[in-house]
Amino acid sequence: IAGITQAPTSQILAAGRRMTLRCTQDMRHNAMYWYRQDLGLGLRLIHYSNTAGTTGKGEVPDGYSVSRANTDDFPLTLASAVPSQTSVYFCASSQRGQETQYFGPGTRLLVL
Amino acid sequence: KQEVTQIPAALSVPEGENLVLNCSFTDSAIYNLQWFRQDPGKGLTSLLLIQSSQREQTSGRLNASLDKSSGRSTLYIAASQPGDSATYLCAPDNAGNMLTFGGGTRLMVKP
């Protein structure tokens, strides 16, 4: 059982480029999340999805978009990357009613 | 807006010590509170989840307590081991799976 996989593991991106971070879970969890982790700021929620077909904004949604076409996948898109989006991005999932969140290994993104 | 503070920010102890990590939060209207462990360069691993109606939760050498009215939680680690070295994060949930994370306590257990 893989749990949550994220791709790519790391990426260097030129400012202005479009980038999609991939997240797939095999636990059939209905809720999924995207966080960014920055030194001194901790983990902050970007977007979430309580079930396939629905999404919501977290604390820092600007510059990011998500979609949830099915239960397993929750891609995060940066339409036009900026240097302030340099961060480590974590995807997580949980089963509504059980609340424990399970995290992926992260994607390290550097925007130059 | 929920704000979460973890004290101390860093801690270094010799192996075998019992230790307490502290977490305080400003908004006591929480559904639950989770404690996570993060190893360097890795994702987060859930350690314990305490529901708002519970006072404490135990898993092996770990015990987490919750005082919701005063906005505090503690994580107690018994008989610490070098393998416990990691960053520990607490995260109260105010809106049903909407976690707010503290800055973490970076723990080093020396052999």
Side-chain angles (χ1 to χ4, degrees):
Chain A
I1 296 176
I4 296 181
T5 57
Q6 293 186 236
T9 302
S10 64
Q11 182 76 43
I12 299 174
L13 188 65
R17 296 296 295 268
R18 180 184 179 91
M19 173 79 190
T20 295
L21 308 185
R22 300 186 298 280
C23 173
T24 300
Q25 54 109 354
D26 64 3
M27 297 174 283
R28 307 301 292 172
H29 287 169
N30 44 24
M32 296 187 75
Y33 317 85
W34 275 105
Y35 294 90
R36 59 178 290 173
Q37 185 174 35
D38 303 287
L39 198 63
L41 295 173
L43 276 122
R44 294 176 292 169
L45 182 66
I46 305 171
H47 284 288
Y48 64 93
S49 169
N50 286 330
T51 189
T54 69
T55 62
K57 294 181 180 180
E59 183 184 354
V60 288
D62 294 342
Y64 306 95
S65 64
V66 291
S67 61
R68 187 90 184 276
N70 57 60
T71 297
D72 299 342
D73 301 298
F74 191 42
L76 176 73
T77 297
L78 289 67
S80 179
V82 295
S84 62
Q85 292 177 311
T86 293
S87 188
V88 182
Y89 291 86
F90 289 101
C91 179
S93 72
S94 68
Q95 184 63 27
R96 298 286 286 177
Q98 295 181 5
E99 316 308 337
T100 298
Q101 290 194 15
Y102 297 85
F103 280 73
T107 292
R108 284 147 190 79
L109 181 66
L110 174 62
V111 182
L112 299 174
Chain B
K1 178 177 180 268
Q2 178 73 279
E3 294 182 4
V4 183
T5 302
Q6 291 188 243
I7 294 173
L11 184 62
S12 181
V13 299
E15 182 176 5
E17 274 204 8
N18 301 323
L19 50 99
V20 175
L21 309 182
N22 296 293
C23 171
S24 61
F25 47 94
T26 56
D27 184 350
S28 62
I30 63 172
Y31 285 74
N32 59 62
L33 183 143
Q34 296 184 50
W35 281 92
F36 293 87
R37 168 188 174 133
Q38 185 176 29
D39 293 288
K42 304 288 186 184
L44 280 67
T45 301
S46 180
L47 297 173
L48 290 163
L49 183 151
I50 312 178
Q51 298 291 350
S52 62
S53 58
Q54 295 178 311
R55 298 284 293 183
E56 64 179 67
Q57 193 68 257
T58 297
S59 176
R61 294 182 294 108
L62 304 180
N63 176 276
S65 67
L66 175 64
D67 184 343
K68 197 175 80 159
S69 60
S70 66
R72 292 184 203 169
S73 178
T74 61
L75 180 67
Y76 176 82
I77 303 177
S80 59
Q81 302 172 358
D84 294 330
S85 298
T87 296
Y88 291 81
L89 298 158
C90 76
D93 178 0
N94 282 94
N97 276 341
M98 300 282 281
L99 303 182
T100 302
F101 283 85
T105 293
R106 192 168 63 254
L107 173 66
M108 173 70 71
V109 181
K110 296 178 285 188

